[in-house]
Amino acid sequence: MKLTFAQRMALGAKRAKYRRRLQEVLDNQGLTGVALAGMLGISSEAVYRTLSGKIHSPKVLDWLREHGATEDHLCDPRRAGE
């Protein structure tokens, strides 16, 4: 199911509410956003923009999922409607 721009924006806004919970996943792994960016081969801006709900980086969302973030906090547009 392809989401509209408005639906994707709404998911991002919802994720922004959970930003601290997502940051805790990084903290629990002893990582900063910069370190995660280096591990994933992306910019630190992409990490921070994903955490704040401005973009939906699949690499960041998948990493967070694999390290304990809940689906409710991720608000991943790829999984919306599941």
Side-chain angles (χ1 to χ4, degrees), residues 28-71:
N28 290 339
Q29 297 294 316
L31 294 173
T32 63
V34 173
L36 179 60
M39 288 172 46
L40 298 178
I42 61 175
S43 70
S44 58
E45 182 178 343
V47 172
Y48 291 113
R49 292 186 72 206
T50 300
L51 292 176
S52 65
K54 298 197 184 321
I55 65 171
H56 306 285
S57 168
K59 287 182 178 183
V60 175
L61 294 173
D62 289 344
W63 186 91
L64 288 166
R65 182 178 290 111
E66 291 167 9
H67 291 86
T70 67
E71 290 300 323

Side-chain angles (χ1 to χ4, degrees), residues 3 8-9 13-14 17-18 21 27 30 33 39-40 42 46 53 57 74-76:
L3 300 178
R8 291 174 61 83
M9 291 290 292
K14 186 176 175 184
K17 292 179 184 178
Y18 300 118
R21 298 281 185 184
D27 294 346
M39 288 172 46
L40 298 178
I42 61 175
S57 168
L74 291 173
C75 308
D76 188 342

